[in-house]
């Protein structure tokens, strides 16, 4: 699959703590073009559906509660090698292990409240983007 797009969410902790602007700035300066974007609140049901792949993990309930605890910013991003480059920009899942200067290193609180999502494959980027955006909402 063509790997020039990825999907992201600025998570409830980062939005609530006022980091939306700084994170978007870092994404744009990182060379990513915004193809679609919305400011939206996930219901419990929608958050559960989005993270369905993690249903069997012990942190699933906590993850769903957290992701529906406040508004998020969801976006589709474009760049060559988007998935891999974006994972580099955001850093490791656990902010204590995230490389210096990465978005999670700068803005995340904990492994659960870790500021930002990035798709892990081109295939999942497409599925996740389609979960949030219709064709009319993309540029
Ligand atoms: P990533 O978001 O880096 O792709 P993941 O797909 O393994 O990480 O997990 C999805 C989200 O679930 C992650 O961003 C935060 C939460 N999570 C992962 N591991 C966790 C843990 N051990 N305890 C609490 N929450 C966790
Ligand atoms: Mg993941």
């Amino acid at each position: 699959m063509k790997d020039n797009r990825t999907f992201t969410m600025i998570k409830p902790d980062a939005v609530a703590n006022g980091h939306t602007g700084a994170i978007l700035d870092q994404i744009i300066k990182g060379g990513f073009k915004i193809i679609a974007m919305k400011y939206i609140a996930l219901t419990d049901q929608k958050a559960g559906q989005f993270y369905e792949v993690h249903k069997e993990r012990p942190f699933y309930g906590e993850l769903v509660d957290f992701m529906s605890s406040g508004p998020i910013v969801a976006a589709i991003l474009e760049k060559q090698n988007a998935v891999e480059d974006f994972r580099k920009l955001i850093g490791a899942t656990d902010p204590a292990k995230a490389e210096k200067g990465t978005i999670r290193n700068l803005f995340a609180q904990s492994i659960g409240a870790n500021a930002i999502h990035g798709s892990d494959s081109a295939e999942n980027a497409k599925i996740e983007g389609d979960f949030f955006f219709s064709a009319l909402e993309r540029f």
Side-chain angles (χ1 to χ4, degrees), residues 5 9 18 34 39-40 67 70 79-80 82 86 89-91 93 96 106 110 115 128:
R5 286 192 178 188
M9 294 181 286
I34 296 168
Y39 183 52
I40 191 174
M67 288 304 295
K79 184 185 186 292
Q80 244 181 43
F86 195 70
L89 187 76
I90 71 176
T93 308
L106 292 170
S110 65
E128 293 170 0

Side-chain angles (χ1 to χ4, degrees), residues 38 44 80 93 108 111 131 135:
K38 59 173 71 162
D44 225 53
Q80 244 181 43
T93 308
I111 191 164
F131 183 87

